[in-house]
Amino acid sequence: MMRSAVRALAGAGLLLLLGAGSALAADDYTLPFSNPDVQLSYGIDRDPTRCRQLDWTGQVWNDCASHPGRAYDNHTGIDYPMGLQSAVVAARDGTVVGLFEGYGTEEFGSAGNYVRVRHADGRDSLYYHLAQGGVLVGINQKVYAGQQIARSGCSGICYGAHLHFELDRLVGSVWQPSDPMAERRWTTWPGRVPYLASVVRESNSGTEVIRRYQTVTHWVEFRNLGGRAWRPDISLGRLLLVTYDPPLHASAFAAADWPSSTVATPVDAGPIGPNGIGRYTFGLRGGPPPGTYRESFNLLANSVAWFDHGRIGNYYVPIVISNFSP
Amino acid sequence: MSHARRTLPLLAAAVLIMSLVLAGAVQAEPPPSAARYDPAAARSAGVAVAVTRRRIGEQTLIDASLPRFGSTPIDPVSEARRLLATSRDGGIVATTDSYGGRPGALSIATADGSLVRSELEGVLASAVAADGSWAATIDGAGRMWRVETEGGSATRLADGPFTAPIAFDPDGSLLTIAVSSVEAPASADLARVEPATGRVVRLTAGELLSGFSLLDAGGVAYFVSNPDGSTSVRSLGLGAGGEPLADLGAAAIHVSTSANGRQIAFERAGQGVFIQERGAGAARRISGGAIPRVSPDGSRVMVLAGGGTDILDLRGRRIAHMASPAVAWAGCGAGCDR
């Protein structure tokens, strides 16, 4: 009896650990930008000794040199080269606790423009070298993972346009850098941008022919190529299929099952984790007069983070409204 | 003694020696190379710095003509920043080849046209000692060096990291900003460094300073970036700390004060140059331009404008214009004698 009790406890403990790990992974960090083509140039040096470096792979370098793709001496963050004014997004949900945007976009000097966000795990993320006037959030503002919070620049001690991303944690009374790569803090490995998708298939990949005043059901499936899970409800990662081009315009084809004239549907079921496929099912009503139309849609996360419309093939549904004889 | 018993101690000794050599090789960096030029050699090598002193009312300006390196167009802000420091009377001038460039050389030019160059790893800031014998310099990695004015040799004073600015306190110690990281400081505190020992004492804690100015009677006015994006000016004196002097509002950069701290000039992003006179109400805009610097006596402000430097009174009226952006106030004011 003792043994079975111990086994039961051990099993429960294991399940708890697995569950806790999954929850942490799902709510951990994603890359601080939305362009999946961005690559890191230098990671963190975890060894504080001058001219001795410990990079994110665990390799030790006994020199003061720079090692592309790895680290440079005493580097406290991760550098991501990107064009000026590129979108910088929150790596995780949090609250803005610091910002500055007065320096010139490419002004070299001892200080630069930045945003600092505090997260539920006690870490702060720092986004540095931002553009002048490139801070898009306010102090104490709550932000969602994937939400654009700034535009990149090259302000401060900057030798080429890039985003310096840093995670800090409090050790005693001192903030010290925390390495998201060495610590496997991304939601996936390797890390991914928060929101990215591709069209997999749809109920009708051709033209939807709709009789006037009738409603047809249409569905489309997207593959989740980002690092955040998609959810249908009001929670972290809520994904909606909404009208686009222009964004959130009132659709003439909104059916009765639409939550609003701009929102076609949330994802049918969730969570849809990275690499999963989410289906979006919605009606299309033949409201307008007979003719040929197209209705564009895009994915929107947490009402603030747009997907790259170009990367989902500028998704739209071609529609023909046919004559109706009652 | 057997062969093995003779060999093992020798092997152990060899391993120990090799370890020591390797450790030494890791720790020891070659010192920055240095070169000295007499006036003719400096001109011939294209590294000469020409310095002119000009009197503006009761104040003295140092107008530096800097050598060109490369063919990139001159950016007035970067050019102005190349003039790092002057001695009190302007007789010694510290400059860098390219502010923000690497590797970056420090040049120290003296009044007779001779010059020394030290090949540091980029240069962020410099200050000339009162006796003119050396310059305290912060390199691109945030390390502090002592660079001899005579031969240009450099010895490391402290590893830091530190960032600009750097200045000599009247007692001979150095004031600078100690940062958590040179590239993206999460903290930047006012610090005192003892040149003889390299000992560092932080004078503020957990702040984010963007600069400071020395005040009369041994005080310091320092500029704090607040979390909400505004900038405050506070003073630190002997026995006192953190007394607020002014709140400059959002996006205030390039703050400068007079020696008594009563006149505070700053630039607000995209809006021009402002003057805040303590006890005289809100800050007022006095001109366009960039990087204002208040004269020691508080009567004038120099700003970058029109590719050069305007000298303004406190109402923004232009008194003079210098063609060069590399201009600085001499600390000797009306008492610069030569």
Side-chain angles (χ1 to χ4, degrees):
Chain A
M1 191 161 130
M2 190 64 170
R3 279 187 196 166
S4 54
V6 168
R7 267 194 237 117
L9 271 173
L14 183 62
L15 278 174
L16 197 63
L17 278 171
L18 285 174
S22 298
L24 280 173
D27 190 32
D28 227 330
Y29 295 87
T30 43
L31 297 177
F33 43 83
S34 50
N35 180 354
D37 298 329
V38 171
Q39 302 286 321
L40 81 84
S41 56
Y42 295 99
I44 295 171
D45 170 17
R46 287 182 285 145
D47 191 321
T49 309
R50 180 76 69 173
C51 297
R52 178 182 157 91
Q53 306 176 52
L54 172 62
D55 72 26
W56 59 273
T57 71
Q59 180 158 1
V60 173
W61 307 85
N62 287 301
D63 58 37
C64 316
S66 299
H67 300 278
R70 298 297 187 90
Y72 66 79
D73 197 33
N74 295 126
H75 192 212
T76 56
I78 307 174
D79 286 352
Y80 295 103
M82 56 182 63
L84 299 174
Q85 310 288 349
S86 294
V88 174
V89 306
R92 185 174 174 169
D93 287 15
T95 303
V96 177
V97 294
L99 58 91
F100 195 85
E101 59 174 350
Y103 295 104
T105 296
E106 296 180 85
E107 179 180 345
F108 186 91
S110 57
N113 303 318
Y114 75 94
V115 171
R116 191 175 184 90
V117 180
R118 185 152 295 162
H119 306 288
D121 65 355
R123 286 177 173 79
D124 280 8
S125 55
L126 179 66
Y127 311 79
Y128 214 87
H129 303 310
L130 303 179
Q132 186 175 67
V135 173
L136 306 177
V137 292
I139 193 73
N140 298 322
Q141 179 178 342
K142 293 198 184 309
V143 296
Y144 286 104
Q147 174 179 352
Q148 186 177 356
I149 58 174
R151 290 188 295 267
S152 69
C154 193
S155 55
I157 304 293
C158 177
Y159 297 97
H162 71 280
L163 171 69
H164 172 99
F165 173 75
E166 183 168 320
L167 268 190
D168 294 327
R169 62 180 173 182
L170 209 52
V171 178
S173 60
V174 179
W175 287 98
Q176 292 186 0
S178 167
D179 189 343
M181 295 203 292
E183 296 173 18
R184 294 295 198 263
R185 294 253 130 220
W186 304 129
T187 58
T188 58
W189 186 260
R192 292 186 182 183
V193 297
Y195 295 112
L196 191 66
S198 63
V199 176
V200 177
R201 58 180 182 153
E202 53 189 317
S203 55
N204 179 358
S205 58
T207 302
E208 281 286 8
V209 179
I210 309 172
R211 280 186 172 183
R212 192 145 192 223
Y213 305 125
Q214 296 297 300
T215 296
V216 301
T217 298
H218 188 94
W219 57 259
V220 57
E221 290 178 344
F222 295 96
R223 183 179 298 281
N224 183 357
L225 301 177
R228 293 281 162 197
W230 300 347
R231 290 182 171 82
D233 53 356
I234 302 289
S235 63
L236 292 170
R238 183 190 191 200
L239 249 290
L240 300 175
L241 184 72
V242 300
T243 57
Y244 202 68
D245 203 14
L248 297 171
H249 68 268
S251 175
F253 308 97
D257 64 348
W258 286 36
S260 77
S261 63
T262 62
V263 179
T265 180
V267 63
D268 287 1
I272 308 295
N275 299 323
I277 294 175
R279 178 177 285 199
Y280 297 76
T281 305
F282 55 99
L284 288 168
R285 183 172 180 275
T292 302
Y293 302 88
R294 59 191 280 169
E295 187 65 288
S296 289
F297 296 94
N298 197 359
L299 295 168
L300 181 64
N302 296 319
S303 302
V304 293
W306 286 102
F307 282 56
D308 186 327
H309 199 230
R311 292 185 189 268
I312 57 169
N314 298 305
Y315 179 69
Y316 68 94
V317 178
I319 298 169
V320 166
I321 304 297
S322 69
N323 283 322
F324 171 71
S325 301
Chain B
M1 189 185 281
S2 73
H3 177 74
R5 291 175 74 179
R6 282 197 300 271
T7 305
L8 280 173
L10 288 174
L11 195 59
V15 168
L16 179 61
I17 290 168
M18 187 60 73
S19 303
L20 289 171
V21 167
L22 282 173
V26 166
Q27 295 302 322
E29 295 172 62
S33 60
R36 189 179 189 286
Y37 298 80
D38 64 29
R43 286 192 299 273
S44 174
V47 299
V49 176
V51 176
T52 307
R53 295 198 313 187
R54 303 178 193 281
R55 187 75 171 261
I56 302 287
E58 294 298 305
Q59 300 297 286
T60 301
L61 289 178
I62 308 300
D63 185 349
S65 175
L66 305 178
R68 295 292 320 280
F69 298 94
S71 57
T72 52
I74 294 177
D75 162 53
V77 172
S78 301
E79 197 70 2
R81 292 270 174 82
R82 288 180 60 196
L83 177 57
L84 297 168
T86 73
S87 59
R88 184 173 165 76
D89 66 354
I92 299 173
V93 170
T95 69
T96 183
D97 292 358
S98 168
Y99 190 72
R102 275 182 163 170
L106 174 74
S107 291
I108 303 175
T110 49
D112 66 356
S114 61
L115 181 140
V116 297
R117 283 171 63 80
S118 181
E119 297 289 339
L120 295 173
E121 191 185 313
V123 181
L124 297 182
S126 191
V128 181
D131 66 0
S133 64
W134 63 286
T137 303
I138 298 173
D139 72 8
R143 296 175 293 189
M144 187 182 293
W145 298 83
R146 174 185 173 119
V147 182
E148 304 300 330
T149 309
E150 184 59 33
S153 62
T155 50
R156 203 178 324 158
L157 290 180
D159 276 347
F162 306 105
T163 196
I166 187 170
F168 280 91
D169 213 16
D171 67 3
S173 64
L174 287 158
L175 291 173
T176 187
I177 296 180
V179 291
S180 54
S181 136
V182 174
E183 184 192 1
S187 69
D189 285 304
L190 187 64
R192 185 184 302 280
V193 181
E194 295 299 331
T197 61
R199 180 169 162 261
V200 180
V201 175
R202 289 184 182 236
L203 304 178
T204 62
E207 299 276 20
L208 199 59
L209 267 64
S210 59
F212 63 86
S213 290
L214 294 181
L215 299 177
D216 293 338
V220 179
Y222 60 95
F223 321 130
V224 178
S225 290
N226 299 308
D228 64 357
S230 65
T231 300
S232 300
V233 182
R234 301 187 197 139
S235 73
L236 194 64
L238 295 174
E243 178 196 341
L245 293 184
D247 287 312
L248 306 182
I253 57 176
H254 307 143
V255 185
S256 165
T257 77
S258 57
N260 62 10
R262 296 201 66 81
Q263 287 78 33
I264 301 170
F266 62 96
E267 182 186 338
R268 199 183 305 285
Q271 298 180 34
V273 172
F274 292 73
I275 284 284
Q276 170 74 65
E277 294 188 80
R278 290 177 57 209
R284 52 193 167 77
R285 183 184 184 279
I286 63 168
S287 79
I291 312 191
R293 285 143 288 163
V294 184
S295 62
D297 70 352
S299 67
R300 304 282 184 263
V301 182
M302 63 168 68
V303 300
L304 294 183
T309 304
D310 279 350
I311 310 302
L312 311 174
D313 68 12
L314 295 188
R315 293 185 181 176
R317 291 177 298 198
R318 192 165 79 175
I319 296 166
H321 178 79
M322 311 286 154
S324 166
V327 179
W329 296 108
C332 46
C336 302
D337 54 333
R338 262 185 71 206

